[in-house]
Amino acid sequence: MSDYKIPEGKELRIAISGKSGCGNTTVSTLLAQNLGIKMINYTFRQLAAEKGITLAQVIEKAKTDDSYDRYVDTKQVELAKEESCVLGSRLAIWMLKEADVKIYLLASDELRAKRILGREGGSIEEIKAFTEMRDREDSRRYMKLYGIDNNNYSFADLKIDTNCNVPEEIIHTILVQLEKRGFIERVSD
């Protein structure tokens, strides 16, 4: 049971972004659980699973077919508009204009590669190369499709370095900020 809740009759939409391996999914999931709201993280990975192809194949197809990005981005924003939620995606802070709070997670390239390696296996060299390629392709596509520079997150309400903090510390930091801004309140005993 969380120590916090969204006030009665209010809704809260939180957008969390960051590059692969920054902790988006972990932080978004834990935050949604703490607040008892829906977590939305519809990504190329889910699209690949639905289509029965690999993530690498989706990324390759998305290089020449904008419908992959547009479908994923439109679907997650539509889902986020339905109810209080945490939307965790690469473009959440740019795409969910209605977000009450926009959070950007940062981590070093080395740590991101290690986290991805722990999640997916392989070799660290292959993971680093794939992640660099993915970052480049993501940035290129976001600029082409939406005019979004995903390296410019200066407008985010919170920027959190995940290099030195465990997920529970990050969640605590976010919850304290949400309470200070009046979006959530402590649950009375």
Side-chain angles (χ1 to χ4, degrees):
M1 181 73 181
S2 175
D3 295 334
Y4 297 95
K5 69 173 185 163
I6 298 169
E8 198 68 37
K10 300 235 178 178
E11 289 191 347
L12 175 61
R13 286 172 185 79
I14 302 167
I16 300 179
S17 293
K19 295 184 179 177
S20 182
C22 282
N24 285 355
T25 304
T26 301
V27 170
S28 296
T29 301
L30 289 172
L31 185 59
Q33 288 171 352
N34 266 270
L35 294 172
I37 59 178
K38 188 176 190 178
M39 195 290 232
I40 299 169
N41 183 319
Y42 189 85
T43 65
F44 272 2
R45 193 173 306 282
Q46 282 79 23
L47 182 60
E50 285 176 14
K51 291 188 168 283
I53 59 178
T54 68
L55 174 59
Q57 287 172 311
V58 169
I59 292 170
E60 191 59 36
K61 289 176 184 285
K63 287 179 183 178
T64 57
D65 184 348
D66 295 346
S67 70
Y68 286 86
D69 279 288
R70 292 192 189 281
Y71 179 79
V72 166
D73 298 333
T74 301
K75 177 151 182 139
Q76 64 188 1
V77 170
E78 285 172 0
L79 291 169
K81 287 181 179 181
E82 292 175 2
E83 61 188 295
S84 289
C85 67
V86 176
L87 173 59
S89 79
R90 302 251 193 294
L91 287 181
I93 67 172
W94 290 272
M95 299 297 282
L96 187 59
K97 307 280 189 235
E98 300 81 0
D100 297 294
V101 179
K102 297 177 180 184
I103 301 166
Y104 193 83
L105 303 178
L106 300 141
S108 69
D109 292 346
E110 185 70 27
L111 181 59
R112 291 172 52 221
K114 285 179 182 174
R115 287 176 177 164
I116 295 166
L117 177 67
R119 181 174 71 211
E120 299 174 11
S123 79
I124 192 73
E125 293 79 22
E126 289 172 358
I127 296 290
K128 282 181 179 178
F130 181 78
T131 302
E132 285 176 27
M133 177 279 294
R134 188 172 183 190
D135 287 348
R136 273 193 316 277
E137 278 306 308
D138 285 351
S139 293
R140 182 193 64 75
R141 281 194 334 277
Y142 302 155
M143 184 55 75
K144 176 184 161 209
L145 286 170
Y146 306 113
I148 291 172
D149 175 0
N150 70 323
N151 293 306
N152 178 10
Y153 46 84
S154 60
F155 62 92
D157 299 302
L158 295 171
K159 296 163 208 70
I160 301 173
D161 184 344
T162 66
N163 284 301
C164 308
N165 299 300
V166 296
E168 293 75 19
E169 292 170 329
I170 295 165
I171 298 305
H172 177 73
T173 299
I174 294 169
L175 290 170
V176 167
Q177 286 299 314
L178 291 174
E179 184 183 24
K180 279 183 184 174
R181 296 167 189 226
F183 291 114
I184 60 174
E185 58 192 21
R186 283 195 177 272
V187 175
S188 54
D189 295 326

